[in-house]
């Protein structure tokens, strides 16, 4: 590639800086501009990352021919309008997960992708962690035999720290709380590992957060394969990030110390993957090759703009992940009765 | 105590020998007799454990004044009749878990306990493991803050090894499969840790076992405290035994290598308990004092016969544990809709 791909962040909060550091660890991407409504944030971001210019309005950014693609890290309830406007301006779009805060809006985005034939990548980066990639390879190679159960947990203390000043506090901006913020990662991971989910049964509770959203969610998934899956998400305890897969010939146990999540080129160093085979009285550590989930995902996005890569997690995968969240919340409202996923993917909502 | 307590096993299979070894590690108990319908098993058991006599019929055993209490390890669907007959003969009864194979029969047992005012202990020994005792102490001392989520898994490969010659193969003898055999342990553990459960939502599946019973079960519990709990049970994978508790100020993660379960005086050596506090970027191992769950439980039973100990797990605790199994199976039949536990405790069954 002769020339770096020119990207521009939209939204210049904490997460935009995590992604910028990931993008700039390689030599595929340059940050050509950036946009936030705050002049102060624009200046600080330009200085921190050596970005040559910034845009004072969204229109200005989207009209800038130097910008090939945008990186959206704004609040979830602003995603749809930003994605659609960007695609319609001919920009490629990378957006943080979840694709949008509601499934209705995600379906609007799907229509925009189809209408514009644009490039859209969604930041379900966790499946790129070495532990998840290795589990996928073991499953596909048949080393676990037939998989019957998979369990995952993603929790942290965020729900205890929320204030009314943050959008995550509000049920209309972040329905599902810990489950749309953290659980949606495992909704993608588990479908990546075991294929599509047929139905979801869940209970969501607001226990110790002062915010409007759930801080304790447990969801049971039934995969189309017949396997059962579980996702547990807390927002009122120290961090946990774990996946365990049980097969007829072996189990795999993956554990990542969440406190080291943000610096993705280091995350594998804080991970362990352990196997235990049928009849084995000992467990064996599995070596994890180093990965860099944020850098890899952004470089894939950048190269896809030039037609040199395929987007792994696009609109379809993102809608499948978000549909698990929606199904879980619907099920919780019915006191656990399972909700089918397929109709949700087509925008057909169950009646209460 | 001047004289050992004289107990007699009823049923002389593998588990009776695990319990006999536990009982004879101390000097509180002697095995005065034993009963099985098989002459061969009686002779072998007497020789292995130096038991002075055996009974050829149940009536003979129950008429023997040398026997103060019986240890029942026969198939679950025989428990009720054996327990009731033993109590009515004035014998104290220790029975393996689950108390009975159906909640209806457990309620019959409760009536017999009340009628005879007899001593009944039920083998929910797992709560006596050092890891579980330590978790309970931490929770009661407030070291975890407010608990929102607890997750547990108990799995092993048994479902893959069942044959039609074993009672566990059959749905009418062991309804719930892995959940009544393994899950009932965690049903007791979690209520021991966090108090009574209000309702249960579950999915039970028969995936890879050739038997009639489920080998994959996932249940979500709501405790009366408001906390959510999860129990996962497989019967088609290598063994797992794990409990994790998430609180506002710390998490505790307990793990026992199941392959070392039977020799209970060694089990703690194959266990780890780890804490992670709020804001901590490292995890800390928690020291586990050695325990011997089978010996402790049997000695408590023996001393209770003499009025020198209190039975920790009696009919009420056993019914609470079995009610979780029953509620889970009822919920699974309703595709996950939660089933309330309180009516089940009183023998009021939900209509389908």
């Amino acid at each position: 590639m002769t020339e770096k791909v020119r990207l521009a962040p939209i939204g210049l909060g904490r997460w935009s800086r995590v992604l910028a550091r990931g993008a700039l660890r390689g030599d595929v991407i340059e940050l050509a501009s950036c946009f936030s409504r705050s002049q102060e944030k624009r200046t600080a971001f330009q200085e921190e990352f050596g970005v040559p210019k910034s845009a004072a309005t969204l229109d200005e950014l989207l009209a800038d021919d130097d910008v090939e693609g945008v990186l959206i890290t704004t609040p979830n309830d602003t995603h749809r309008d930003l994605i659609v406007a960007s695609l319609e301006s001919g920009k490629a779009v990378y957006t943080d997960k979840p694709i949008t805060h509601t499934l209705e809006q995600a379906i609007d985005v799907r229509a925009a992708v189809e209408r514009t034939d644009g490039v859209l990548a969604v930041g379900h980066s966790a499946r790129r962690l070495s532990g998840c990639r290795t589990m996928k390879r073991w499953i596909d190679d048949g080393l676990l035999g037939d998989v019957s159960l998979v369990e995952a947990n993603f929790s942290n203390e965020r729900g205890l720290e929320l204030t009314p000043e943050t959008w995550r506090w509000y049920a209309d901006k972040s329905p599902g709380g810990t489950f749309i913020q953290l659980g949606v990662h495992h909704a993608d991971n588990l479908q990546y590992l075991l294929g599509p989910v047929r139905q979801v049964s869940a209970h969501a509770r607001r226990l110790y957060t002062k915010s409007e959203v759930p801080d304790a969610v447990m969801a049971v998934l039934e995969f189309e394969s017949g396997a059962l899956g579980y996702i547990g998400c807390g927002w009122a305890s120290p961090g946990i990030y774990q996946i365990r897969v049980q097969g007829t010939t072996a189990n795999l146990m993956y554990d990542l110390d969440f406190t080291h999540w943000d610096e993705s080129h280091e995350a594998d160093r804080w991970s362990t993957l352990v196997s235990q085979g049928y009849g084995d009285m000992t467990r064996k550590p599995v070596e994890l090759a180093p990965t860099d989930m944020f850098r890899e995902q952004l470089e894939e996005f950048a190269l896809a703009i030039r037609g040199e890569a395929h987007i792994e997690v696009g609109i379809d995968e993102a809608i499948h992940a978000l549909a698990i969240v929606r199904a879980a919340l619907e099920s919780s409202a019915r006191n656990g009765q399972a909700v089918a996923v397929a109709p949700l993917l087509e925008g057909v909502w169950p009646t209460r």
Side-chain angles (χ1 to χ4, degrees), chain A:
Chain A
M1 195 173 57
T2 51
E3 195 185 307
K4 288 186 180 180
V5 181
R6 298 180 307 278
L7 304 181
I10 294 179
L12 301 177
R14 185 180 74 88
W15 202 251
S16 72
R17 295 195 298 278
V18 170
L19 292 185
R21 287 195 292 273
L24 299 177
R25 279 195 287 273
D27 57 5
V28 172
I29 295 164
E30 66 177 86
L31 298 180
S33 184
C34 60
F35 166 64
S36 157
R37 280 176 302 186
S38 155
Q39 166 73 59
E40 193 182 354
K41 283 187 178 174
R42 294 198 303 270
T43 304
F45 191 87
Q46 283 184 257
E47 283 176 9
E48 182 174 352
F49 294 102
V51 181
K53 62 184 167 183
S54 67
T57 67
L58 180 67
D59 286 345
E60 184 187 334
L61 187 83
L62 297 183
D64 185 344
D65 288 338
D66 285 346
V67 174
E68 298 173 80
V70 297
L71 307 175
I72 298 174
T73 58
T74 56
N76 297 346
D77 64 320
T78 67
H79 283 188
R80 178 190 63 182
D81 291 351
L82 290 171
I83 295 168
V84 171
S86 300
L87 288 172
E88 288 181 340
S89 302
K91 306 303 185 195
V93 175
Y94 172 100
T95 183
D96 193 26
K97 48 49 59 182
I99 172 78
T100 49
H101 71 311
T102 71
L103 199 47
E104 286 83 345
Q105 295 208 349
I107 288 172
D108 292 346
V109 169
R110 182 169 64 193
V113 171
E114 289 167 359
R115 195 166 62 239
T116 62
D117 198 25
V119 172
L120 174 68
V122 185
H124 286 290
S125 46
R127 61 158 71 184
R128 295 173 192 263
L129 282 162
S130 194
C132 198
R133 291 295 201 205
T134 306
M135 284 191 284
K136 172 70 170 163
R137 205 160 48 239
W138 279 52
I139 292 168
D140 289 353
D141 290 351
L143 298 177
L144 300 193
D146 293 313
V147 171
S148 49
L149 299 176
V150 56
E151 296 173 354
N153 182 307
F154 196 173
S155 299
N156 66 31
E157 64 282 73
R158 185 67 62 89
L160 298 174
E161 299 166 353
L162 291 176
T163 65
E165 285 68 50
T166 59
W167 57 271
R168 292 180 184 82
W169 177 278
Y170 299 98
D172 61 343
K173 293 177 185 293
S174 195
T178 183
F179 205 65
I180 196 166
Q181 287 300 114
L182 304 182
V184 76
H185 280 291
H186 280 322
D188 180 63
N189 290 333
L190 298 194
Q191 293 186 98
Y192 166 65
L193 291 174
L194 294 177
V197 167
R198 181 186 295 145
Q199 63 172 23
V200 180
S201 187
H203 294 274
R205 298 289 185 274
R206 197 162 60 83
L207 296 178
Y208 298 111
T209 181
K210 294 192 170 62
S211 75
E212 296 179 356
V213 296
D215 60 350
V217 179
M218 292 186 163
V220 173
L221 322 177
E222 183 182 41
F223 291 87
E224 289 181 4
S225 71
L228 294 180
Y230 163 79
I231 302 175
C233 289
W235 235 8
S237 81
I240 293 172
Y241 186 87
Q242 174 258 316
I243 304 175
R244 179 167 52 210
V245 190
Q246 298 178 231
T248 48
T249 57
N251 297 336
L252 279 175
M253 292 143 278
Y254 176 55
D255 181 84
L256 166 67
D257 186 337
F258 169 75
T259 52
H260 302 274
W261 179 265
D262 284 9
E263 294 307 307
S264 64
H265 59 306
E266 310 250 313
D268 299 310
R269 284 174 41 201
W270 298 94
S271 304
T272 56
L273 182 66
V274 175
S275 72
Q276 187 158 18
Y278 188 94
D280 289 351
M281 290 187 79
T282 55
R283 299 170 183 176
K284 297 190 187 75
V286 179
E287 200 176 339
L288 294 179
T291 56
D292 185 343
M293 59 179 168
F294 300 140
R295 174 182 166 180
E296 282 179 20
Q297 183 159 47
L298 293 169
E299 291 188 350
E300 176 188 281
F301 168 63
L303 292 171
I305 296 175
R306 299 283 174 84
E308 295 168 21
H310 167 75
I311 296 287
E312 180 174 333
V313 182
I315 184 67
D316 287 342
E317 292 77 13
I319 285 181
H320 271 81
L322 192 60
I324 303 301
V325 176
R326 173 61 171 266
L329 298 179
E330 291 282 345
S331 170
S332 184
R334 294 150 200 262
N335 204 17
Q337 189 158 45
V339 170
V341 172
L344 302 182
L345 302 173
E346 303 310 321
V348 178
W349 315 120
T351 50
R352 284 202 191 155

